[in-house]
Amino acid sequence: MTPSGGTNSTSTEASNAAAASFASLLAKLDYLGTEGKELVRKAYRFSDHAHLGQKRQSGEPYITHPIAVAAQCAEWKLDSQALMAALLHDAMEDCGISKEDLIQEFGAPVAEMVDGLTKLDKLQFDTQEEGQAESFRKMLLAMAKDVRVILVKLADRSHNMRTMGSMPTSKWARICNETLEIYAPIAHRLGLNQTYRELQDLSFRHLKPWRYQIIEKAVGKARSRRRDILIKVQKDVEQAFAKHSIPIRIYGREKTLFSIYKKMDTKNLSFAQVTDIYGMRVILPSVIECYTALGVLHQLYKPVPGRFKDHIAIAKVNGYQSIHTTLVGPAGINIEFQLRTEAMHVVAESGVASHWLYKTQDHTSETSERLGTQWLQSLVDIQNETHDATEFWDYVKVDLFPDAVYVFTPKSKIMALPRGATVVDFAYAVHSNIGDRTMAGKINGESVPLRTELKNGDVVEIVTSTVAAPNPAWLAYVKTGRARSKIRHFLKTQAQTESLGLGEKLLAQAVRAEGIDQMPTDEPKYKPLWERLLRFTGNHSKEDLLVDIGLGKRIATIVAKRIVLLLSELGEKPDALLISKERFTAHESVSQGGVMVDGSENVSIQYALCCRPIPGDSILGYLGRGEGLVVHTENCSVGQKLKHKDSERFIAVEWADEVVRAFESELVVTVQNGKGVLARVAAAIASAEADITHVNMSEEFSGQAAIDLRFTIAIRDTTHLDTVLKHLRRLPSVSQAHRVVSAKSTSH
Ligand code: MN
C-alpha cells in the first residue's frame, strides 16, 4: 500500500491535532540525525494512513496513540527502528497490514519488532492462580526476540494506562491487574523505575479509586504541614555540602501512593505509622563523594539505626545503585536520603533504556566507569561489540532467567519446560498418566507430530487413548528427564511382560520338540524340579528364567533338555512320536508353536531395518543376546549370515492373520526427470492408498535425465505393496520401481 500525506477532508481538525502531536515528537528526535528522523517520518505517514478513520475510545484519532508511544521511546532515546516499530505497533492487528508489507516498506528488523508486538498483544493474563504471574512474565520476555520490543510494549502499556479513563470501566480490573502483576514487575526488573512507579500508581488509582483518594488527600495534608520542615532540611543540606565544597543536586522525593498503600496493607499500618513518605535524593559528582556525603549527612542529623544500605558496593540485580540512609530530621520526622552519581541516577530511572541514553551521549571512558554496576556494564560491553539488539537481548535474557519455553494448557495454565521440549515432554509434565496414554498432540488447535518442539505461547493439547502406549522412538527426542525416565520405566515393565510371554512360548515349543507334550506345572510334585532347574540356570524365579529366554539371554532348547532330564528322574519319558513330528514341522517352519507376530509387540520383538519385513513376507526370528526377538525376511542376507553362525538362536515366526498396524517399506523409483515428476509419483503412491513417510532424492535433481527417488511408505502387506508398484509402473515417466530388499544398514 502507498500511504498518502495523511490528511483527510472529513476530519481536518483531528488530523491537525495528530500532525501537531507528531510535530512535537519530531522535535525530540534530534539525537537520531536527519536520516533517522526521515525514517521515523516515513513510518508515521504509513501508520497515519493505515489508521485513517479509526478512533481511540476517547474520540481522538487513533494515530495519537502510536505517536504517544513513540514519544515515550524517544524519552529513552531508543533508535530509529524502535521508534518506527512504536509508530507501527498496532498496524498489523488493526489495519490488516501484513508482515510482508512491513518488510518491504521498512525492512526486516522493524517488521520483526512489529510482529513481536502484535504477538504479545494477543497474550492476556487473566488468572488468579498462584505462581502464574511469574511464568507469564517470563513467557513474555522470552517471546520478545529483542529488548526493544519489551520497551515499546512498556511504552504502549504506559500510554494505555494514562488514558484508562476513557476505557469502559468493565475492563479496568483485568487491565490493571495485568499491569500490576506483569508489566510493572518487568519494568522494575529492567530497571525502568519511573515507568514502574507510574504503572503501579495508575493501576492502583483505577483498581481502588476510593483508597487512592484517601491516601492522596492524606499525603497532600502531610505535605503542606511539613513543607517548612522540608525546605529547611534542603537548605541545611545544601549549606553543609557547600562548606565541604562538594557540588550537589538535591531533590525532594515522595513515596508513591501505591507503595504507601502497599506498606499500610501488608504491614497493617495506619497512614500516620508510615514514616518514610519523604525522602531526598542527592546527586554527587563521583562515587567517593557519595561516601563523603554520607559522613556529611550523619554529622548533620542522626541516622536511624539499621536503615543504612550500601547498594553502591553491592548493586541490586536490576543494576540499581545508591547509598540509602534514613535520618531523624527537625521535629523528629524521618527522612530517607539516597546518594548516587549522575550515571547511577540515569540507570536508576531508566534501567536497560539508560544504555541507549548513554550510547547517544558523548560518553567518555569516565562515564562508563561510573556506570559501575557489573550487570549494566557488561550489557554495554556486549552492545558495543555486537551492535545487534537481538544478540544483546539474548544476553539480557540469559541473565534474567534460564533457558525455558512457556506454554499454555487448554485451561490456560502456564507450564515451563526446557527449551527444545516436545509435545511428549509436555504430556509427561502434565501427568505421567497423560504421558503414558498420549496418542496425538495439537498445538494451537492443529494436529502436530509428537516430536514437535514447543514455542513460547503455544496452547498445547494432548489427545489420549486407553490403548495408546509409550513408544521407544520417543526416547530419541524427549528433552526432559521426567519424560525420559517415565518412558523407560513403562517400556521396561512392558518389555518384562512381553519377554515373559515370549519366553514361555519358546520354552513350551522347545519342550515339545524334546517329546514332552506338557510343560511341568506349578503343582507341588514339580516343585523340586523347578528348584533344581533354577539352580542350574542361576535364576531367582521361574518368571525370571522365562524373561531371560524371551530376551535371548538363555537358549530355550538347552533349558528344555535339562527339563527332560529332570522329568526322567521323576519317571516321565519323552514321547518319540511327538519328537519326530515336532522336529519335522519345526524344519518346515509351519509349527503351530511358532511365534505369531502382528505388529502390536512393542519392545521384545523388533523388525529388522536391513530387510524391513512386511506381512506376507516369509520371515525368521533371531533371538539376539539380551535384545529379544528380531524378525528378518527369510531371504535377508544379514539374517542368512546370522543363521549360519548362530543357528540355535533362530526360531519359527509367522504373521498373525490380523496385523494391527502399517509397516514401512522402502522403494526405489527410477524416473525420467521433468517438471512435476515428483508430484506425479507421489500422487500415484497416494492413489494406491499408501502413505509416504520419507522421500530422498539425489542432489542433482535438476541436472540429470534419469534419477532415483527413494521413498519410505507405510503399507499393510505384500499385496498392498504390489498394488503400489503397479500404480507406479503405469506412469510414463517411471522406468523402474522396486522394493529395496537389503539396505546398507548394519543392524540385523
Ligand atoms: Mn497500542
Side-chain angles (χ1 to χ4, degrees):
M1 74 186 300
T2 34
S4 74
T7 42
N8 184 310
S9 56
T10 54
S11 54
T12 326
E13 208 174 300
S15 36
N16 285 345
S21 63
F22 182 68
S24 73
L25 167 64
L26 264 189
K28 294 180 190 163
L29 300 184
D30 287 338
Y31 72 94
L32 290 178
T34 332
E35 207 176 315
K37 270 170 105 167
E38 204 37 60
L39 286 168
V40 173
R41 199 195 301 271
K42 185 181 167 201
Y44 162 68
R45 286 201 200 101
F46 185 95
S47 182
D48 188 32
H49 187 267
H51 288 293
L52 206 60
Q54 294 173 356
K55 294 231 182 315
R56 293 277 286 173
Q57 297 275 0
S58 61
E60 282 178 295
Y62 196 89
I63 188 69
T64 55
H65 166 63
I67 292 173
V69 174
Q72 174 66 70
C73 296
E75 295 288 335
W76 291 327
K77 301 282 187 289
L78 299 193
D79 60 8
S80 56
Q81 289 182 344
L83 282 149
M84 291 159 81
L87 285 166
L88 296 161
H89 80 271
D90 281 330
M92 268 172 83
E93 187 67 358
D94 301 343
C95 314
I97 285 164
S98 72
K99 192 173 165 184
E100 283 66 41
D101 295 335
L102 293 175
I103 292 175
Q104 265 203 331
E105 288 288 332
F106 304 106
V110 174
E112 280 299 336
M113 273 191 268
V114 176
D115 190 43
L117 284 157
T118 308
K119 283 188 185 130
L120 291 189
D121 234 24
K122 291 192 179 127
L123 287 181
Q124 285 200 345
F125 179 75
D126 197 8
T127 167
Q128 301 295 321
E129 223 179 305
E130 195 77 26
Q132 292 280 284
E134 174 70 13
S135 299
F136 191 92
R137 280 197 296 273
K138 287 179 173 173
M139 170 158 64
L140 213 78
L141 292 172
M143 274 177 80
K145 294 195 186 100
D146 182 329
V147 71
R148 295 174 297 178
V149 170
I150 289 290
L151 293 171
V152 175
K153 184 69 201 168
L154 288 171
D156 178 38
R157 180 53 59 117
S158 298
H159 185 245
N160 285 338
M161 291 303 295
R162 283 178 206 152
T163 53
M164 188 74 138
S166 33
M167 282 293 275
T169 46
S170 60
K171 292 192 173 176
W172 287 10
R174 194 196 72 76
I175 297 174
C176 290
N177 276 321
E178 189 179 77
T179 303
L180 273 183
E181 295 281 330
I182 308 300
Y183 291 100
I186 287 177
H188 187 50
R189 192 67 180 80
L190 295 177
L192 297 150
N193 281 315
Q194 216 168 25
T195 306
Y196 167 61
R197 289 191 292 260
E198 187 186 3
L199 289 177
Q200 283 188 328
D201 261 11
L202 287 168
S203 304
F204 175 42
R205 184 178 185 163
H206 291 95
L207 269 180
K208 297 193 156 57
W210 187 70
R211 309 274 320 213
Y212 183 89
Q213 271 178 27
I214 289 176
I215 294 176
E216 191 181 32
K217 243 184 226 155
V219 169
K221 249 193 219 161
R223 192 188 293 137
S224 63
R225 223 178 337 149
R226 287 171 182 171
R227 178 177 293 141
D228 295 343
I229 298 172
L230 290 170
I231 290 172
K232 182 182 171 352
V233 169
Q234 184 160 347
K235 272 204 180 122
D236 287 354
V237 171
E238 278 168 346
Q239 273 174 13
F241 280 99
K243 212 159 56 182
H244 289 88
S245 330
I246 302 174
I248 59 159
R249 281 194 294 129
I250 181 166
Y251 307 97
R253 187 187 62 87
E254 217 166 70
K255 220 175 165 63
T256 64
L257 299 185
F258 179 74
S259 60
I260 295 171
Y261 164 71
K262 260 302 237 232
K263 196 154 191 179
M264 290 167 67
D265 194 43
T266 53
K267 298 198 173 162
N268 234 332
L269 302 174
S270 71
F271 180 77
Q273 287 170 302
V274 181
T275 52
D276 56 350
I277 295 169
Y278 300 102
M280 296 274 169
R281 190 169 286 149
V282 184
I283 314 288
L284 294 129
S286 74
V287 173
I288 282 301
E289 279 155 317
C290 290
Y291 289 99
T292 313
L294 186 68
V296 172
L297 288 174
H298 285 188
Q299 296 285 313
L300 190 61
Y301 301 117
K302 268 205 163 45
V304 178
R307 295 298 303 272
F308 165 72
K309 279 184 202 124
D310 186 353
H311 292 303
I312 288 184
I314 299 162
K316 290 193 184 179
V317 277
N318 62 9
Y320 177 88
Q321 283 187 298
S322 280
I323 291 172
H324 291 189
T325 185
T326 304
L327 306 177
V328 186
I333 63 161
N334 285 354
I335 301 164
E336 193 200 46
F337 278 82
Q338 297 174 348
L339 310 172
R340 54 172 78 143
T341 65
E342 193 71 53
M344 291 171 192
H345 182 58
V346 178
V347 172
E349 291 303 300
S350 30
V352 161
S354 64
H355 142 78
W356 273 274
L357 290 171
Y358 272 111
K359 214 172 67 165
T360 51
Q361 281 163 16
D362 175 37
H363 80 123
T364 60
S365 62
E366 201 206 345
T367 324
S368 48
E369 241 172 56
R370 277 194 282 143
L371 244 170
T373 94
Q374 272 186 354
W375 186 64
L376 262 146
Q377 184 56 55
S378 56
L379 295 189
V380 173
D381 289 347
I382 290 274
Q383 177 75 358
N384 287 342
E385 274 165 31
T386 61
H387 295 284
D388 176 345
T390 315
E391 212 171 303
F392 171 67
W393 182 228
D394 281 342
Y395 185 83
V396 177
K397 279 197 287 195
V398 168
D399 196 67
L400 287 174
F401 43 77
D403 254 4
V405 287
Y406 298 88
V407 297
F408 293 104
T409 68
K411 286 181 182 158
S412 298
K413 190 173 159 27
I414 299 169
M415 310 276 294
L417 292 157
R419 195 169 289 174
T422 62
V423 175
V424 174
D425 290 294
F426 174 85
Y428 278 100
V430 174
H431 200 282
S432 54
N433 278 339
I434 306 273
D436 283 347
R437 290 187 289 119
T438 296
M439 200 172 75
K442 287 181 178 176
I443 291 180
N444 304 325
E446 276 183 44
S447 293
V448 294
L450 291 176
R451 65 182 316 140
T452 309
E453 279 188 19
L454 306 176
K455 291 200 299 292
N456 277 301
D458 279 348
V459 179
V460 191
E461 194 183 331
I462 300 296
V463 183
T464 58
S465 150
T466 45
V467 297
N471 187 319
W474 292 358
L475 289 171
Y477 55 75
V478 291
K479 193 82 180 176
T480 54
R482 179 185 165 80
R484 188 171 302 279
S485 72
K486 295 279 176 194
I487 295 166
R488 284 225 176 97
H489 175 76
F490 183 95
L491 293 177
K492 207 178 150 199
T493 319
Q494 170 101 349
Q496 205 80 357
T497 322
E498 281 181 13
S499 303
L500 183 93
L502 179 63
E504 203 162 21
K505 260 188 214 169
L506 292 173
L507 186 60
Q509 190 184 342
V511 165
R512 281 175 66 86
E514 296 298 327
I516 301 293
D517 195 27
Q518 267 282 308
M519 277 260 281
T521 60
D522 290 334
E523 283 172 70
K525 71 166 173 172
Y526 291 120
K527 212 174 164 229
L529 180 144
W530 279 110
E531 276 167 7
R532 289 177 66 189
L533 182 68
L534 291 177
R535 249 201 312 278
F536 166 70
T537 61
N539 290 97
H540 297 297
S541 64
K542 183 179 166 188
E543 284 70 32
D544 192 23
L545 169 64
L546 293 175
V547 167
D548 270 5
I549 294 172
L551 285 172
K553 283 184 186 165
R554 217 160 280 289
I555 293 165
T557 49
I558 294 173
V559 178
K561 284 201 164 81
R562 176 59 59 145
I563 289 178
V564 172
L565 197 74
L566 292 167
L567 278 173
S568 72
E569 286 175 20
L570 288 173
E572 296 185 26
K573 293 278 175 259
D575 175 348
L577 192 67
L578 190 64
I579 295 177
S580 59
K581 194 174 130 211
E582 281 295 322
R583 292 244 161 108
F584 172 73
T585 51
H587 277 203
E588 294 300 298
S589 328
V590 288
S591 151
Q592 307 105 309
V595 178
M596 303 291 257
V597 293
D598 67 357
S600 68
E601 313 83 8
N602 209 328
V603 205
S604 62
I605 297 180
Q606 298 166 53
Y607 297 87
L609 289 172
C610 47
C611 50
R612 290 184 188 274
I614 56 174
D617 286 336
S618 306
I619 45 177
L620 290 171
Y622 173 70
L623 261 177
R625 285 176 181 81
E627 53 198 338
L629 188 62
V630 184
V631 179
H632 290 267
T633 62
E634 195 161 33
N635 54 11
C636 169
S637 57
V638 180
Q640 290 292 341
K641 216 177 280 171
L642 285 169
K643 191 174 184 180
H644 193 66
K645 240 175 40 191
D646 239 356
S647 63
E648 80 278 9
R649 289 184 169 269
F650 270 84
I651 54 166
V653 282
E654 293 171 46
W655 294 104
D657 289 340
E658 295 278 336
V659 174
V660 300
R661 65 166 169 100
F663 281 77
E664 286 195 333
S665 194
E666 206 177 336
L667 305 183
V668 170
V669 186
T670 310
V671 294
Q672 299 309 308
N673 198 358
K675 220 175 180 181
V677 65
L678 182 59
R680 278 197 298 279
V681 171
I685 293 173
S687 75
E689 287 170 8
D691 288 329
I692 299 171
T693 54
H694 192 77
V695 189
N696 212 346
M697 53 183 149
S698 40
E699 277 162 28
E700 322 83 280
F701 186 49
S702 49
Q704 283 174 305
I707 52 158
D708 282 351
L709 302 174
R710 268 174 189 270
F711 289 93
T712 308
I713 59 169
I715 44 156
R716 288 187 299 277
D717 51 27
T718 42
T719 323
H720 189 194
L721 178 66
D722 288 341
T723 314
V724 174
L725 291 172
K726 231 177 267 164
H727 279 239
L728 284 171
R729 287 171 189 145
R730 274 210 297 262
L731 289 180
S733 44
V734 170
S735 52
Q736 265 189 59
H738 59 86
R739 176 182 180 188
V740 179
V741 275
S742 194
K744 273 170 270 163
S745 166
T746 50
S747 100
H748 14 258

